[in-house]
mmCIF file of all heavy atoms in Angstrom:
data_model
loop_
_atom_site.group_PDB
_atom_site.id
_atom_site.type_symbol
_atom_site.label_atom_id
_atom_site.label_comp_id
_atom_site.label_asym_id
_atom_site.label_seq_id
_atom_site.Cartn_x
_atom_site.Cartn_y
_atom_site.Cartn_z
ATOM 1 N N GLU Y 223 90.384 104.899 91.550
ATOM 2 C CA GLU Y 223 90.018 103.653 92.317
ATOM 3 C C GLU Y 223 91.096 102.665 92.521
ATOM 4 O O GLU Y 223 91.259 102.205 93.621
ATOM 5 C CB GLU Y 223 88.767 102.906 91.558
ATOM 6 C CG GLU Y 223 87.481 103.799 91.544
ATOM 7 C CD GLU Y 223 86.425 103.170 90.619
ATOM 8 O OE1 GLU Y 223 86.823 102.249 89.837
ATOM 9 O OE2 GLU Y 223 85.335 103.655 90.717
ATOM 10 N N LEU Y 224 91.798 102.425 91.513
ATOM 11 C CA LEU Y 224 92.953 101.419 91.649
ATOM 12 C C LEU Y 224 94.059 101.969 92.698
ATOM 13 O O LEU Y 224 94.645 101.090 93.425
ATOM 14 C CB LEU Y 224 93.630 101.206 90.242
ATOM 15 C CG LEU Y 224 92.754 100.334 89.302
ATOM 16 C CD1 LEU Y 224 93.496 100.278 87.963
ATOM 17 C CD2 LEU Y 224 92.577 98.964 89.870
ATOM 18 N N ARG Y 225 94.172 103.199 92.683
ATOM 19 C CA ARG Y 225 95.214 103.847 93.501
ATOM 20 C C ARG Y 225 94.689 104.071 94.932
ATOM 21 O O ARG Y 225 95.332 104.508 95.825
ATOM 22 C CB ARG Y 225 95.744 105.007 92.901
ATOM 23 C CG ARG Y 225 96.646 104.765 91.678
ATOM 24 C CD ARG Y 225 97.045 106.112 90.987
ATOM 25 N NE ARG Y 225 97.664 107.090 91.879
ATOM 26 C CZ ARG Y 225 97.818 108.351 91.607
ATOM 27 N NH1 ARG Y 225 97.368 108.754 90.321
ATOM 28 N NH2 ARG Y 225 98.456 109.080 92.325
ATOM 29 N N LYS Y 226 93.398 103.904 95.092
ATOM 30 C CA LYS Y 226 92.731 103.941 96.448
ATOM 31 C C LYS Y 226 92.871 105.423 97.042
ATOM 32 O O LYS Y 226 93.118 105.591 98.182
ATOM 33 C CB LYS Y 226 93.261 102.882 97.410
ATOM 34 C CG LYS Y 226 93.231 101.464 96.848
ATOM 35 C CD LYS Y 226 93.853 100.476 97.832
ATOM 36 C CE LYS Y 226 93.637 99.061 97.361
ATOM 37 N NZ LYS Y 226 94.221 98.044 98.253
ATOM 38 N N ILE Y 227 92.585 106.379 96.125
ATOM 39 C CA ILE Y 227 92.642 107.698 96.599
ATOM 40 C C ILE Y 227 91.279 107.914 97.309
ATOM 41 O O ILE Y 227 90.204 107.616 96.869
ATOM 42 C CB ILE Y 227 92.766 108.695 95.309
ATOM 43 C CG1 ILE Y 227 94.068 108.415 94.650
ATOM 44 C CG2 ILE Y 227 92.506 110.152 95.757
ATOM 45 C CD1 ILE Y 227 94.232 109.231 93.332
ATOM 46 N N PRO Y 228 91.365 108.521 98.517
ATOM 47 C CA PRO Y 228 90.176 108.646 99.349
ATOM 48 C C PRO Y 228 89.013 109.317 98.739
ATOM 49 O O PRO Y 228 87.773 108.961 98.941
ATOM 50 C CB PRO Y 228 90.717 109.332 100.633
ATOM 51 C CG PRO Y 228 92.076 108.996 100.639
ATOM 52 C CD PRO Y 228 92.554 108.919 99.212
ATOM 53 N N LEU Y 229 89.310 110.415 98.057
ATOM 54 C CA LEU Y 229 88.222 111.245 97.543
ATOM 55 C C LEU Y 229 88.556 111.500 96.061
ATOM 56 O O LEU Y 229 89.566 111.689 95.679
ATOM 57 C CB LEU Y 229 88.153 112.680 98.182
ATOM 58 C CG LEU Y 229 87.950 112.759 99.719
ATOM 59 C CD1 LEU Y 229 87.949 114.121 100.195
ATOM 60 C CD2 LEU Y 229 86.749 111.978 100.146
ATOM 61 N N MET Y 230 87.373 111.559 95.368
ATOM 62 C CA MET Y 230 87.510 111.978 93.827
ATOM 63 C C MET Y 230 86.247 112.797 93.561
ATOM 64 O O MET Y 230 85.178 112.708 94.160
ATOM 65 C CB MET Y 230 87.613 110.647 92.901
ATOM 66 C CG MET Y 230 86.285 110.013 92.659
ATOM 67 S SD MET Y 230 86.476 108.834 91.244
ATOM 68 C CE MET Y 230 87.128 107.524 92.160
ATOM 69 N N ALA Y 231 86.423 113.595 92.591
ATOM 70 C CA ALA Y 231 85.366 114.547 92.132
ATOM 71 C C ALA Y 231 85.422 114.624 90.615
ATOM 72 O O ALA Y 231 86.424 114.962 90.081
ATOM 73 C CB ALA Y 231 85.463 115.866 92.772
ATOM 74 N N VAL Y 232 84.268 114.310 89.972
ATOM 75 C CA VAL Y 232 84.228 114.335 88.514
ATOM 76 C C VAL Y 232 83.612 115.741 88.258
ATOM 77 O O VAL Y 232 82.487 116.101 88.805
ATOM 78 C CB VAL Y 232 83.322 113.282 87.898
ATOM 79 C CG1 VAL Y 232 83.115 113.593 86.373
ATOM 80 C CG2 VAL Y 232 83.937 111.964 88.202
ATOM 81 N N VAL Y 233 84.304 116.603 87.439
ATOM 82 C CA VAL Y 233 83.882 117.940 87.244
ATOM 83 C C VAL Y 233 83.436 118.154 85.827
ATOM 84 O O VAL Y 233 84.159 118.005 84.821
ATOM 85 C CB VAL Y 233 85.112 118.865 87.541
ATOM 86 C CG1 VAL Y 233 84.776 120.303 87.231
ATOM 87 C CG2 VAL Y 233 85.497 118.750 89.100
ATOM 88 N N GLY Y 234 82.246 118.590 85.716
ATOM 89 C CA GLY Y 234 81.587 118.968 84.452
ATOM 90 C C GLY Y 234 81.062 120.366 84.394
ATOM 91 O O GLY Y 234 81.264 121.166 85.143
ATOM 92 N N ASP Y 235 80.047 120.581 83.448
ATOM 93 C CA ASP Y 235 79.528 121.900 83.172
ATOM 94 C C ASP Y 235 78.786 122.308 84.461
ATOM 95 O O ASP Y 235 78.851 123.503 84.928
ATOM 96 C CB ASP Y 235 78.631 121.914 82.046
ATOM 97 C CG ASP Y 235 79.256 121.716 80.706
ATOM 98 O OD1 ASP Y 235 80.508 122.055 80.698
ATOM 99 O OD2 ASP Y 235 78.652 121.310 79.777
#
Side-chain angles (χ1 to χ4, degrees):
E223 292 172 344
L224 289 173
R225 292 171 55 195
K226 303 180 180 179
I227 297 173
L229 303 178
M230 77 169 85
V232 176
V233 176
D235 292 339

